Amino acid sequence: MSITRIEDPSEYTEKIESIRAINEKYILFFIASLNQNNQFWCPDVQQAYPIVQQALADSCKNDTLPLVECVVERSQYRGNPDYFYRTAPEVKLTAIPTLISYQNGLETKRLVEGELHNLSNVQQFFADAS
């Protein structure tokens, strides 16, 4: 699986358009940024991230399926209903972490917060997305 990281929402449109141009399927993974202690600021992301990494190693047979990690800065996200990922029509982010699979630009599946704390859920997500 190829992994791309979007550090700032201003990069989103250009990077996603370039991915869509050559891939009919792709996955977005919305995660927290790292704090001063080099840990994710969101406890749910702290718990889910290693599970997602394990599921990727275990169940993703499609090495060409793009995974895009979209980093969410706490100061921009918390309490901001106008935050880009909350308002982007194809994302409509409600919480982090969130995994979303797309095919031909349309969402096919979504896992949010606690749903990402279960390895078998995440493995099935990647199996379905491949």
Side-chain angles (χ1 to χ4, degrees), residues 38-63:
N38 209 31
Q39 295 180 339
F40 295 113
W41 62 261
C42 175
D44 285 317
V45 175
Q46 289 177 22
Q47 186 173 351
Y49 196 83
I51 293 168
V52 170
Q53 297 304 306
Q54 181 64 51
L56 280 170
D58 291 348
S59 62
C60 191
K61 308 287 189 271
N62 185 348
D63 289 339

Side-chain angles (χ1 to χ4, degrees), residues 110-126:
R110 181 182 292 236
L111 294 180
V112 180
E113 285 184 315
E115 295 170 329
L116 292 160
H117 296 167
N118 181 295
L119 181 59
S120 62
N121 280 352
V122 181
Q123 288 171 326
Q124 188 61 53
F125 176 93
F126 286 120

